[in-house]
Amino acid sequence: MNLQDLFTALFFDYTLRTVALGSAVLGAVSGALGAFAVLRRQSLMGDAISHAALPGVVLAFLISGSKDILALGAGALFTAWLGTMAMVYIRRRTRIKEDTSLGLVLSVFFGVGMVLLTFTQRLPNAHQAGLDRFLFGQAAALLERDVVYMAVFGGGALLLLALLWKEFKLVSFDPEFATGLGLPVRALDVLLTTLLAVAIVLGLQAVGVVLMSAMVVAPAAAARQWTDRLGSMVLLSALFGAISGVAGTLVSSLAAGLSTGPTIVLVASFIVLLSILFAPARGLVPAALRRRAQASGALSQG
Amino acid sequence: MNQANLAIEITDLTIAYKEKPVLWDVDLEFPEGNLTAIVGPNGAGKTTLLKATLGLIPPSAGQVLVFGKPLRQQRRLVGYVPQRGSVDWDFPTSALDVVMMGRYGHLGWLRRPGKAERDLAMQALHSVGMQDFAGRQISQLSGGQQQRVFLARALAQDAAIYLMDEPFQGVDAVTERAILEMMRRLRDEGKTVIVVHHDLQSVPEYFDRAVLLNVRKIASGPVHEVFTDDNLRAAYGDRVTRLGAAALPQLEPESRAGLPVMGK
Amino acid sequence: METYTLEIILIAVVAAAACALPGVFLVLRRSAMLADAISHTVLLGIVLGFFLTGDLSSPFLVLGAAAVGVLTALLTALLERTQLVKNDAAVGLIFPALFSVAIILISRYAGDVHLDTDVVLLGELAFAPFDRFAPFGVDLGPRGLYVMGGILLINLAFIGLFYKELKLSTFDVGLAAVLGFAPAVVHYMLMSLVSITLVGAFDIVGSVLVVALMVAPAASAYLLVNRLPAMLALSTGLGALSALTGYLLAFLLDASIAGSIATMAGLIFLVSLLFAPEQGVVAQLRRRARQRWEFAALMLNAHLLNHEGSREAEQENRASHLTDHLRWSPEFASQVITYAQRSGLIAVEGDHLRLTPAGRQRTLKHYPSSGTLEGT
């Protein structure tokens, strides 16, 4: 397949178009919200949240008996949120540190999810097949309806982010000062984390539990290298996320055995690598060149 | 003493961390239009006192009144300069942007900072001599410059009372002078400036009033009344007495209002 | 089937014990998430080892996996050192990338081999007894038991040999470096140990469960005891307990053994969180309730002491005044007064409160050492 065919396919192949569009939306939403997570040193929160969503997916299926994406998503969001609150509580009330609370919530919630999933599988008449799609993600199975949901809920999350922009910014940069101004810092904190959980739940069925965290961290880490402004960082992060989504989908359609999720993650990781090496102000290569120019300048002057 | 206008009145303030008292039954009055230092040894509760005054730490007992009313109703009257180490300076934002955060309280929800806020912020940067660094990413500023950005942010709050947590900590001489000038200017405009300070020696030179703190209040009032041998010994133990005594002779009551800045 | 059950439980218990030991150090060193990262990336080592040897049971797979595990820690540290990303972001960047490479390699080149990503993540303890260790045709038991037993011994030996170094570099990196203990070397040795443990455990119990077994028992022990040797022993014991009860849960629900063990490990943590003697939530609440009275009484004393002999003492040291100034409700104030009076700290004369000598002494004891009260 050459490049032209690829673009033709992108516009006319229904499945490919849907998947690419879904991955783009997912990349943009998780990229934008991921920027805040990375700046607040909550990069690994995404990993914990995505694992904590699993029991919710199965519970929602057990209760509603359907695999309706809205029901499963609501369940996922519920336990993911529960997981983040558990982490906050453990960190605040005990001597256990952040990383341990993350690992704890991540593995235990996932374990509970596994118990529920295997338990469900052994129930008679349970059409649970496809629930484990949430584990590894299956972008190829995205339907147009899923993409519409993604766009609606993701768009809602982004809208809230835009409305509360200056509050989120201040709470992320200087929570004490924000408290001094009378802002409800804790509530804003919880809201921002909840929005992140929404973004993650939206992405689960496309890239899966394990790799979703990369979609939170990678675009943001790359974007940070190119700019010193929060606004442009968030926009750029969303853009990188969307690019990773589309490019990953296209590349994975080129060859058999290239699963979409991992390919998207690798594209995003590649963007990070390029950014860290070559971003003009912060990149390693430009910095090394500047040092060399300086050294030779000093030599010729001396 | 002019009792008519108390900027801040603290009564019976007790703060405990894990049931261990950090501040114990502190009564304090800060008359309006003064420059006050809060001094005391490490762990004396200086920063805690400041944060409790701002409502950042809930007290176990006691209360804080700002111009006679609870802080909650008076937040806009209080500006705050936190310690420089309290934020991540690698945050992607510019000096001007940080200063504009001082206007967020006035803006309220949903409204975005516009030209008016930008102008005010620029003015604040100007008054700390940082106008040329407005667009600079904050990690590319020196420690002293970062401190001045924080001061400008407090200025932008356009408050009546300014609470500053160790603003002189680790800054260069230029910044120290700029901060001092700014504090005096604020005082002369009738504002109340309260500063957590750790350098005993410069207190008589820089400040009108002092609070000597060591978990409980040791003394408060005009510097020359507070800095007695007995008080200093009560706060610091014996090791500081000699230093305190050496500082005392410079303290002529009449020079209190406008101490000259000592040459560096 | 009976012996199989016994064997499964035995493997699970040994695996739990093997994981819990290095887990203690991970929890204390704030590197628990490195375990999560490595638990994913060892897959790449296994895949690469398999491509080199063509044999899924080759010991080189373990070596390859351990090497990639250490590489993960190394790359993370390297990325962090650029100062372009923070530590947590570095972890979150490296492991998904390496894991993605592994998955793509498997699905593209090793699709027909027994290297199922499901198994990697979830493990299948129930199948462990079918894989026998039978040299020269003599069945000596399940291979998994030997693997995990061996790893347990390695971990025990390592911690035994380097106990002092591990302890020092965990609590005071600076001092360890000054004393010449090379904390970096200790760090990477520990990471190798973690990697080997993860490799050994993960095709038996799955990578996510391995993280649960490393983190949860150690975290519970951290809440329950205060000393490192006790923490090591207890977290091993709690790991084993999670394995036992987890198997029981799996049997009852007919559900995933690995998931059930993780669930029980979580439950044990929850119980520790609630009921740990000093650190637990209940203990904290009870202590707070008890100290509330003591503290309030002391506060009352301090208040009386501060205003004793001063002009406003008549005003300040009255029972009715406490409500205004200490912000106590009238009921609470009178309860505190009763408590302080009964403890002999104050004397009450009508509405007027006065410190007793015992009360004064008690209050002065709580002031900082240099505090003499004559200065006011």
Side-chain angles (χ1 to χ4, degrees), chain A residues 120-162:
Chain A
T120 313
Q121 276 164 356
R122 276 149 213 176
L123 290 178
N125 308 327
H127 305 286
Q128 92 301 324
L131 278 186
D132 48 358
R133 205 172 87 193
F134 280 89
L135 281 185
F136 301 103
Q138 214 175 351
L142 281 182
L143 303 173
E144 202 170 87
R145 205 174 62 117
D146 300 337
V147 178
V148 170
Y149 282 139
M150 277 181 176
V152 169
F153 288 103
L158 291 185
L159 185 69
L160 259 176
L161 186 69

Side-chain angles (χ1 to χ4, degrees), chain A residues 154-220:
Chain A
L158 291 185
L159 185 69
L160 259 176
L161 186 69
L163 284 176
L164 295 174
W165 177 262
K166 73 176 192 305
E167 283 78 14
F168 283 147
K169 176 175 169 177
L170 184 54
V171 164
S172 305
F173 172 61
D174 193 344
E176 265 190 2
F177 189 78
T179 314
L181 289 185
L183 287 180
V185 172
R186 226 177 251 191
L188 287 167
D189 234 29
V190 169
L191 183 60
L192 196 50
T193 311
T194 308
L195 292 183
L196 182 68
V198 170
I200 285 169
V201 168
L202 288 178
L204 279 186
Q205 55 163 342
V207 285
V209 164
V210 182
L211 295 176
M212 192 52 217
S213 70
M215 294 310 291
V216 171
V217 185

Side-chain angles (χ1 to χ4, degrees), chain C residues 173-221:
Chain C
V173 182
L175 184 62
V178 170
L179 295 180
F181 283 123
V185 175
V186 175
H187 177 72
Y188 286 110
M189 274 160 70
L190 181 65
M191 286 307 142
S192 322
L193 207 64
V194 168
S195 307
I196 291 172
T197 310
L198 288 166
V199 183
F202 94 146
D203 73 323
I204 302 174
V205 289
S207 69
V208 179
L209 172 62
V210 178
V211 176
L213 283 180
M214 281 200 172
V215 177
S220 308

Side-chain angles (χ1 to χ4, degrees), chain A residues 37-38 41-44 47 51 89-90 93-97 99-100 102-104 106-108 110-112 114-115 118-119 122 132 135-136 210-211 213-214 217-218 221 224-225 255-259 261-263 265-266 269 272 276 282-284, chain C residues 26-27 30-33 36 40 79 82-86 88-89 91-93 95-97 99-101 103-104 107-108 117-118 121-122 208 211-212 215-216 219 222-223 225-226 253-256 259-260 262-263 265-266 269 273 279 281 284 288:
Chain A
V38 167
R41 303 188 185 212
Q42 293 178 339
S43 298
L44 296 170
D47 200 24
H51 282 79
Y89 183 84
I90 291 171
R93 286 301 167 90
T94 73
R95 56 172 161 184
I96 288 172
K97 310 297 180 306
D99 64 295
T100 301
L102 283 166
L104 197 67
L106 178 157
S107 56
V108 170
F110 192 79
V112 173
M114 281 318 302
V115 170
T118 44
F119 176 73
R122 276 149 213 176
D132 48 358
L135 281 185
F136 301 103
V210 182
L211 295 176
S213 70
V217 185
R224 178 67 189 89
Q225 312 311 323
L258 284 181
S259 343
T263 314
V265 170
L266 281 183
S269 305
V272 174
I276 281 179
R282 288 165 62 104
L284 295 178
Chain C
L26 287 177
V27 165
R30 310 182 181 198
S31 334
M33 286 308 277
D36 177 52
H40 289 102
L79 187 56
T82 63
Q83 296 190 336
L84 295 177
V85 298
K86 303 258 163 23
D88 59 327
V91 177
L93 285 169
F95 91 82
F99 187 68
S100 296
V101 172
I103 291 195
I104 286 177
S107 56
R108 204 163 154 73
T117 40
D118 282 51
L121 271 186
L122 315 174
V208 179
V211 176
V215 177
Y222 192 36
L223 291 179
V225 293
N226 285 322
L253 294 177
D254 190 15
S256 147
S260 301
T263 305
F269 175 79
L273 178 69
Q279 306 279 332
V281 173
Q284 278 182 33
R288 207 169 299 159

Side-chain angles (χ1 to χ4, degrees), chain B residues 28-30 34-39 195 200 203-204 207-213 217-227 256:
Chain B
L28 277 175
E29 294 176 347
F30 294 96
N34 278 283
L35 192 48
T36 308
I38 299 176
V39 287
V195 180
L200 270 184
V203 171
F207 296 93
D208 312 334
R209 298 170 63 86
V211 171
L212 204 52
L213 198 70
K217 179 182 78 177
I218 308 289
S220 74
V223 176
H224 65 108
E225 284 174 22
V226 169
F227 271 39
R256 193 166 55 78

Side-chain angles (χ1 to χ4, degrees), chain A residues 260-277:
Chain A
T260 317
T263 314
I264 293 176
V265 170
L266 281 183
V267 172
S269 305
F270 187 63
I271 296 178
V272 174
L273 186 66
L274 288 183
S275 307
I276 281 179
L277 286 178

